[in-house]
Amino acid sequence: MSQSLTYRPEIDGLRAIAVVAVMIFHLDSTWLRGGFLGVDVFFVISGFLITSIIYTDLKEKRFSLVHFWLRRIQRIFPALLVMVAVVAIVGNFVLISPERTDLVLQSFGAVASFSNILLWRTTGGYWASSSENIALLHTWSLSLEEQFYIFFPVFLLMLHKYAKKRLSLIVFVVAVVSISLSIYGTPYYRSASFYLLPTRMWELLIGSLLSLFHLSHPNALEKTPRLSFLALLGVCLVAASFIFIDNDERFPGPYPLIPCVGTALILMFGQSERISYRFLTLGFLRYIGKISYSLYLWHWPVIVFSRYLSPHENTLALVILTLGLSSLSYHFIESPFRRGFAGSLKLLAAIPVLISLCLLPIYFNPASPGVPAGLADLESEQARTRAWEYESTDSIRSGEGGIVIGDVSQSSLIALVGDSHARVLSPPFAAFAKATDNPALIMATSGIGITTVSYPSRPDASRINSLRFEKLQTLTPSITFVAGMWSSITLANHRKLLRERLQMLSDISDKVVVLSQVPMFSLPDTYKGAFRKYLLAMGRTHSSFQAEPFEGVAKANATLQSFITELAIPNIVYLDIYSDLITKSGSILFNRDGLLLYSDYHHLNDRGSRYIFERSIEPMLSQP
């Protein structure tokens, strides 16, 4: 390998493929469902290049930690800081709370390299629907890499000094430990496994190990030309991962290993295999690769802001705008700072001050100045309420049994059981219990309905349901309400279990009331988890909003009602609350007098739950 490890023209092509895959996935995940794995390709490349730089300098006895970190700052931060500043300015007018107010801390997280930790602690995870509204969501991977750049050089320096002969072996062991943590942690701590360095650094260490091998055996590939076909295999592995790997509950786990191994094969054999080398060194791919960092920085804010401004997405316009911003960023920010022009570090230090100034309007004025008249309720806390204070999973898991209102030893105990749809109905139940001195027990467990069995992201679902029913058998409530997202299950497959659970509740309680699922909005795919954003985009473009209900909910409710009728158990009744939220024209009653009743596309807020409770549930509780 005669060429420098830090300049490999095919790497630009590989970067281009990775960033384009990420962009396609973010524009529409159905176009390339594994496109998000482009980030994992970047991790391997970064580990390869950084280790090449560090270890070459170590061998030549000219490595300086301070110099290395300054070079990383000049390479990464100028374009990043400018992007964050622009996001802060535009976000003040485009975003609405909580995303707008959250932008203050998220901006500092991106600048101070703890964005991944912040997002892990403050969001429902990268794959949560609400994450699609976070303009700086993509900075998690940059923070993770920056953390690696802080700790890995010190680690490598110590190994080179005290364990030089075992250096590669120790790095390999650390990589194995890291991927083991990822495989073990994903079913139980998926968000942490996705976001944090200990469970993701093995991907960077694959690149590091490859670099160490090259540096130790510079002529190894010349002795094995027959293995060059493995570069094509690497291309196939990367492409297959983009096409076939899904963002389900099993990711990350071991799945990034496929694109990471593919990337390593390309890096190892790419220069020896003509087909893949010629493709990866095509002129336009190399240019996309050179601006790939800026492309990654700008593509996501452009997509997020566009969806707040208009529901009619123009993909071509978004791509052109992103390419334009990225080219400007590369030529006028990245390149000059990388060359280290006079005063560059002083100017770089001034940019965080600029960002702080850009964030001041958000900090001092929580209300967005960019919300059209008549849509102010989109930002109100009442509109966004989701009754998280009644989430009972931890209480049930610890043996307490749920959220208790009043003295459960008294008679006439009211129980509310179910998933997140039970949780959002909890506030009026609690208020009724306090007003009437009737004790209430809330047993609402998000993602776990009464028929839910364990699955990868909720491995303890069966145990939680067992504990829930044990507690109910002990307390024997007078009336038990059951709520759930019935459209998410196939009743044909859950019929037996649902019969068993309802029979158990029937034996425990004097009366069991099974509530229908409330209407769910039929929204464009890009707004599935962003109901408020969709309303805002429609308002900004003066488009009429037809709140059409998703047909699957009505069908699921009808099936459930028929099932309960077939059971013919006298003390089990079906209560239709779906119809309370359907207007005469057949659309969803999502607001009253300009005030929202929904917090998202299928959950009520506190207003909506109170409306349903007063119309249908309280009359049933008032019956003798």
Side-chain angles (χ1 to χ4, degrees):
M1 302 286 292
S2 58
Q3 282 186 298
S4 168
L5 286 178
T6 56
Y7 179 74
R8 297 268 297 275
E10 76 276 17
I11 289 180
D12 284 335
L14 191 54
R15 283 181 174 137
I17 291 172
V19 75
V20 168
V22 173
M23 287 178 62
I24 292 173
F25 176 79
H26 283 155
L27 284 167
D28 191 330
S29 60
T30 62
W31 294 346
L32 195 66
R33 62 184 185 181
F36 60 91
L37 290 161
V39 172
D40 303 85
V41 173
F42 275 120
F43 283 162
V44 178
I45 295 173
S46 295
F48 177 79
L49 295 177
I50 289 303
T51 305
S52 300
I53 294 169
I54 297 171
Y55 203 67
T56 298
D57 286 354
L58 284 172
K59 288 176 68 176
E60 297 177 3
K61 298 181 180 181
R62 55 184 173 88
F63 178 71
S64 164
L65 277 173
V66 173
H67 181 65
F68 171 81
W69 286 330
L70 283 176
R71 285 177 63 187
R72 290 298 92 202
I73 289 171
Q74 285 184 303
R75 170 69 179 90
I76 295 170
F77 279 88
L80 171 65
L81 294 176
V82 170
M83 182 274 294
V84 172
V86 172
V87 166
I89 295 170
V90 177
N92 178 51
F93 297 95
V94 173
L95 299 179
I96 55 173
S97 293
E99 291 79 20
R100 179 177 172 273
T101 48
D102 289 346
L103 194 58
V104 175
L105 187 55
Q106 288 165 2
S107 296
F108 286 112
V111 170
S113 302
F114 66 91
S115 179
N116 58 329
I117 299 171
L118 176 67
L119 291 168
W120 165 55
R121 297 301 299 170
T122 59
T123 70
Y126 182 83
W127 305 111
S129 57
S130 59
S131 295
E132 296 179 2
N133 308 324
I134 301 173
L136 294 175
L137 176 70
H138 62 319
T139 59
W140 76 269
S141 63
L142 303 178
S143 290
L144 189 145
E145 283 196 38
E146 288 152 15
Q147 291 158 15
F148 182 79
Y149 297 156
I150 291 171
F151 296 110
F152 185 68
V154 179
F155 176 65
L156 209 58
L157 179 62
M158 298 301 291
L159 289 181
H160 185 262
K161 186 174 182 179
Y162 298 109
K164 190 173 181 179
K165 293 182 179 180
R166 297 183 178 86
L167 189 150
S168 294
L169 176 61
I170 294 172
V171 172
F172 175 77
V173 170
V174 174
V176 170
V177 171
S178 176
I179 192 173
S180 299
L181 287 173
S182 177
I183 294 170
Y184 170 78
T186 296
Y188 303 98
Y189 314 101
R190 188 188 179 202
S191 184
S193 298
F194 180 92
Y195 275 127
L196 302 184
L197 182 62
T199 50
R200 298 301 290 268
M201 68 178 175
W202 64 268
E203 301 177 42
L204 293 116
L205 292 178
I206 284 179
S208 298
L209 288 167
L210 181 61
S211 174
L212 292 172
F213 174 81
H214 273 303
L215 291 167
S216 302
H217 306 84
N219 300 315
L221 292 185
E222 294 176 9
K223 299 176 182 178
T224 56
R226 294 180 181 179
L227 296 179
S228 62
F229 76 93
L230 291 174
L232 277 178
L233 175 61
V235 172
C236 292
L237 287 175
V238 171
S241 67
F242 289 166
I243 296 170
F244 296 112
I245 293 180
D246 247 330
N247 58 326
D248 60 20
E249 293 83 1
R250 297 168 294 176
F251 189 88
Y255 288 94
L257 192 60
I258 298 172
C260 288
V261 169
T263 304
L265 290 175
I266 296 170
L267 291 173
M268 181 174 285
F269 301 105
Q271 289 181 311
S272 303
E273 202 286 315
R274 292 183 180 180
I275 298 174
S276 59
Y277 184 79
R278 287 179 178 177
F279 172 69
L280 292 173
T281 54
L282 289 172
F284 77 94
L285 274 183
R286 288 183 62 187
Y287 180 74
I288 296 297
K290 288 183 183 298
I291 67 170
S292 59
Y293 176 56
S294 286
L295 271 172
Y296 184 78
L297 287 177
W298 287 101
H299 84 282
W300 182 243
V302 167
I303 291 172
V304 170
F305 288 150
S306 71
R307 291 171 180 169
Y308 273 96
L309 292 169
S310 172
H312 313 296
E313 190 166 292
N314 187 325
T315 302
L316 180 60
L318 293 182
V319 171
I320 292 173
L321 177 59
T322 302
L323 286 171
L325 290 171
S326 302
S327 294
L328 291 172
S329 174
Y330 174 74
H331 291 291
F332 296 102
I333 300 172
E334 275 193 73
S335 295
F337 272 95
R338 196 183 306 174
R339 290 192 297 266
F341 63 87
S344 59
L345 289 178
K346 292 182 180 179
L347 179 58
L348 185 60
I351 298 179
V353 177
L354 172 64
I355 292 173
S356 299
L357 293 174
C358 295
L359 291 169
L360 286 178
I362 299 175
Y363 183 79
F364 286 107
N365 183 18
S368 171
V371 177
L375 293 177
D377 192 52
L378 292 177
E379 286 197 294
S380 74
E381 290 187 13
Q382 182 70 7
R384 305 195 309 265
T385 49
R386 291 277 296 276
W388 284 109
E389 66 272 25
Y390 293 102
E391 175 59 48
S392 310
T393 304
D394 289 341
S395 173
I396 293 171
R397 188 185 287 125
S398 66
E400 296 177 10
I403 308 298
V404 176
I405 297 96
D407 184 358
V408 295
S409 64
Q410 297 179 13
S411 59
S412 302
L413 174 65
I414 303 167
L416 175 60
V417 181
D419 55 19
S420 58
H421 285 255
R423 188 193 72 235
V424 298
L425 286 172
S426 299
F429 274 89
F432 179 84
K434 293 173 183 176
T436 59
D437 291 325
N438 282 305
L441 176 66
I442 310 296
M443 308 183 91
T445 51
S446 297
I448 304 177
I450 64 169
T451 63
T452 305
V453 295
S454 297
Y455 59 101
S457 65
R458 298 307 299 264
D460 57 350
S462 298
R463 175 174 171 267
I464 287 174
N465 258 328
S466 296
L467 291 172
R468 179 156 54 183
F469 277 86
E470 287 175 11
K471 191 70 174 182
L472 286 169
Q473 287 175 326
T474 301
L475 296 176
T476 61
S478 298
I479 183 169
T480 299
F481 289 85
V482 181
M485 189 175 179
W486 308 112
S487 62
S488 67
I489 68 172
T490 305
L491 195 56
N493 298 333
H494 289 72
R495 186 176 292 270
K496 180 180 178 181
L497 185 56
L498 182 58
R499 180 183 291 108
E500 291 175 0
R501 295 286 162 84
L502 289 179
Q503 181 66 64
M504 290 173 64
L505 292 174
S506 171
D507 295 337
I508 293 168
S509 302
D510 296 333
K511 190 172 188 177
V512 178
V513 181
V514 181
L515 302 173
S516 67
Q517 182 181 335
V518 298
M520 184 165 69
F521 291 90
S522 182
L523 297 175
D525 288 340
T526 53
Y527 291 95
K528 282 294 184 188
F531 169 62
R532 291 165 52 253
K533 181 168 71 175
Y534 185 66
L535 289 179
L536 179 61
M538 294 291 285
R540 281 173 167 162
T541 55
H542 306 288
S543 304
S544 60
F545 175 59
Q546 297 296 324
E548 299 297 331
F550 173 60
E551 293 180 359
V553 174
K555 292 178 180 177
N557 285 337
T559 303
L560 177 66
Q561 184 176 17
S562 298
F563 176 77
I564 292 172
T565 302
E566 291 171 13
L567 282 180
I569 300 176
N571 67 336
I572 300 180
V573 298
Y574 172 85
L575 180 60
D576 177 25
I577 59 174
Y578 178 93
S579 299
D580 292 336
L581 292 163
I582 297 294
T583 66
K584 292 180 180 180
S585 64
S587 61
I588 299 176
L589 179 67
F590 68 93
N591 73 64
R592 295 182 71 209
D593 302 323
L595 301 177
L596 289 176
L597 300 180
Y598 275 77
S599 63
D600 63 21
Y601 75 111
H602 68 107
H603 285 110
L604 298 172
N605 58 28
D606 285 1
R607 288 196 201 107
S609 65
R610 187 169 62 250
Y611 173 76
I612 288 295
F613 188 85
E614 292 172 352
R615 283 182 63 89
S616 297
I617 297 174
E618 189 171 16
M620 180 164 284
L621 284 169
S622 301
Q623 293 175 2

